[in-house]
Amino acid sequence: MLVEFVVYILRFETHMGRPATSPSSFNKDKISEMAPIAVGDVIPEGTLAFLDNDNKPQSVSIHSLAKGKKVIIFGVPGAFTPTCSLKHVPGFIERAEELKGKGVDEIICISVNDPFVMKSWANTFPENKHVTFLADGSAKYTHDLGLELDLTEKGLGIRSKRFALLVEDLKVKVANIESGGEFTVSSAEEIIKAL
């Protein structure tokens, strides 16, 4: 049974455009881990949530937002958390015009929170005109990106690693993924350097 599951995972990773995990390095205790999204990969299709202007839950396909476009997708461990609220998101809001001037069509912020929290959080940035806040409430899309961060021991459950992707027509051109709680490579400034 375990061997069949390993073969399934290897086929899934290959189908997703990621290098498959070699059987010799496969850790049966970490079956749910996937290789993180990387430069050259096609972003997985997925559905994220938001609240419309009438506060009604809506969903959107990530491919519908990114196909044929230059898009920045950045992820944060949680709405209203200090680094996310004071540094990461404000950097993209402050540099949005510059990013747009360099050909970026969409700037998307994803967090493992529900759409009600994401809208409330977005409302704390009244100067925002270009960053779209989307919810990945069950961390499914975060999992599909291979960017889960297990903070269960800290009482926070499964979250997203901090990251920033530059995507052109669904293909990853830049993948800046942070280690642990760092904030060194996923800022708007780092993406601007890559444009």
Side-chain angles (χ1 to χ4, degrees), residues 1-102:
M1 180 80 166
L2 180 59
V3 172
E4 291 169 352
F5 188 73
V6 170
V7 170
Y8 171 79
I9 294 294
L10 294 173
R11 285 185 184 147
F12 180 75
E13 286 180 351
T14 302
H15 172 72
M16 294 301 292
R18 300 189 195 138
T21 306
S22 69
S24 62
S25 67
F26 185 77
N27 181 343
K28 68 180 182 179
D29 295 326
K30 296 190 175 192
I31 289 176
S32 66
E33 281 192 13
M34 292 178 60
I37 192 90
V39 172
D41 290 348
V42 172
I43 59 169
E45 173 60 301
T47 302
L48 298 168
F50 66 98
L51 293 183
D52 64 19
N53 292 333
D54 296 322
N55 289 321
K56 296 202 183 315
Q58 303 293 328
S59 61
V60 64
S61 151
I62 198 74
H63 277 197
S64 72
L65 296 175
K67 186 166 181 56
K69 297 177 184 175
K70 185 183 288 188
V71 177
I72 295 167
I73 302 170
F74 72 100
V76 298
F80 294 104
T81 57
T83 302
C84 305
S85 296
L86 299 174
K87 295 179 182 176
H88 206 178
V89 170
F92 280 99
I93 291 172
E94 290 164 9
R95 306 296 290 270
E97 292 291 337
E98 186 176 352
L99 290 162
K100 293 279 191 173
K102 291 184 177 280

Side-chain angles (χ1 to χ4, degrees), residues 152-163:
T152 304
E153 289 183 12
K154 295 182 179 184
L156 300 172
I158 300 298
R159 297 295 179 134
S160 171
K161 290 181 180 178
R162 186 179 309 284
F163 68 89

Side-chain angles (χ1 to χ4, degrees), residues 104-117:
V104 172
D105 298 299
E106 299 277 346
I107 305 168
I108 300 165
C109 175
I110 298 174
S111 184
V112 180
N113 290 105
D114 65 62
F116 297 93
V117 168

